[in-house]
Amino acid sequence: MPVLVVAPVTAEFEALAGTFDERWGSPVLRDTGRVVVREYSAADVVLAEGGFGKVQYGVTTQHLLDHLPDVDLVVCAGVAGGLSDEVRVGDVVVATATVEHDFYSGVLGRVPPGFDGSREHLARLAEVREADGSFRVHFAPIASGDEGISDRVRKDAIHARTEALAVAFEGAGGARAALFSGVPYLEVRAISDMAEGDVLTELEANLPDVMQNVAAVVARLAAP
């Protein structure tokens, strides 16, 4: 059964598509409901673009799952800001849990909702710590929320609340869709910036290179 890789935004999607094309050859393009996907039969991988933000990403992921009923795993694959000095630009964080850091509720308590990464697929990646020596792979929570993070105080607060090493927008939307559909889920993010200062400039400069690291980790999930 295929691995469904959903890249949030166009730049992430295009970077993965280029790397996957080189690795697995030209894909078959087809309409999956209202979304065009790239099918890589050599690896049993389907690549799609999910959209920016938790809600849009969750809607698109659910739509894809409704039209691809045989998916074995959903992977949210993109870039993230670093929340800790444990990580550096280019490192990849594989989420042991995706934690919705901007969800607050007096009814549900102060602990933010968290969605565990697939234990089976985390175990498959357990030995991937130093991928060819060019970047490190960390296994830790990733914080998810519709908030751009660009200052030290805010990023420290998110790290304290979630224990996450990285922060990005869309992961919780995909996690909710996968949970609803009963499909295993994993979030894989490369650090493109350190979530403070001029993050957009840093992100744009680093995204093409660091997404190759994401592709390398995702390829391990697709390996027989």
Side-chain angles (χ1 to χ4, degrees):
M1 293 187 286
V3 174
L4 174 60
V5 181
V6 187
V9 300
T10 301
E12 293 163 323
F13 172 80
E14 290 179 346
L16 281 181
T19 303
F20 287 174
D21 288 358
E22 292 179 2
R23 184 182 292 268
W24 295 316
S26 298
V28 173
L29 305 182
R30 74 176 177 92
D31 292 333
T32 302
R34 300 178 64 183
V35 182
V36 177
V37 301
R38 301 169 72 89
E39 292 185 340
Y40 296 91
S41 58
D44 206 13
V45 166
V46 176
L47 174 64
E49 183 176 340
F52 185 48
K54 288 186 298 181
V55 174
Q56 183 59 59
Y57 188 88
V59 167
T60 303
T61 301
Q62 185 60 59
H63 181 75
L64 289 163
L65 289 171
D66 288 342
H67 289 82
L68 294 167
D70 57 345
V71 168
D72 181 59
L73 172 70
V74 176
V75 179
C76 174
V79 297
L83 291 179
S84 167
D85 292 339
E86 292 180 47
V87 296
R88 61 189 179 214
V89 170
D91 284 357
V92 172
V93 181
V94 180
T96 54
T98 295
V99 183
E100 199 166 0
H101 75 80
D102 63 346
F103 189 110
Y104 294 87
S105 171
V107 175
L108 299 179
R110 300 179 64 183
V111 178
F115 307 89
D116 289 340
S118 167
R119 295 302 178 219
E120 173 189 347
H121 297 91
L122 285 166
R124 192 178 301 179
L125 295 176
E127 300 304 317
V128 188
R129 296 280 180 178
E130 298 283 344
D132 75 17
S134 62
F135 66 94
R136 297 173 299 170
V137 179
H138 306 264
F139 296 85
I142 294 177
S144 174
D146 288 331
E147 177 185 357
I149 309 302
S150 60
D151 71 83
R152 186 81 192 191
V153 172
R154 183 63 183 131
K155 89 176 205 177
D156 286 349
I158 293 172
H159 177 63
R161 187 173 195 233
T162 64
E163 299 183 348
L165 293 185
V167 61
F169 284 79
E170 297 83 10
R176 288 183 180 276
L179 179 63
F180 183 81
S181 295
V183 178
Y185 180 76
L186 202 59
E187 186 171 6
V188 180
R189 297 273 187 172
I191 302 300
S192 60
D193 60 85
M194 292 307 297
E196 55 183 297
D198 189 1
V199 296
L200 290 180
T201 298
E202 194 175 359
L203 184 155
E204 290 174 1
N206 292 326
L207 186 147
D209 289 336
V210 303
M211 283 301 296
Q212 293 185 34
N213 301 345
V214 173
V217 174
V218 171
R220 297 290 189 106
L221 293 169

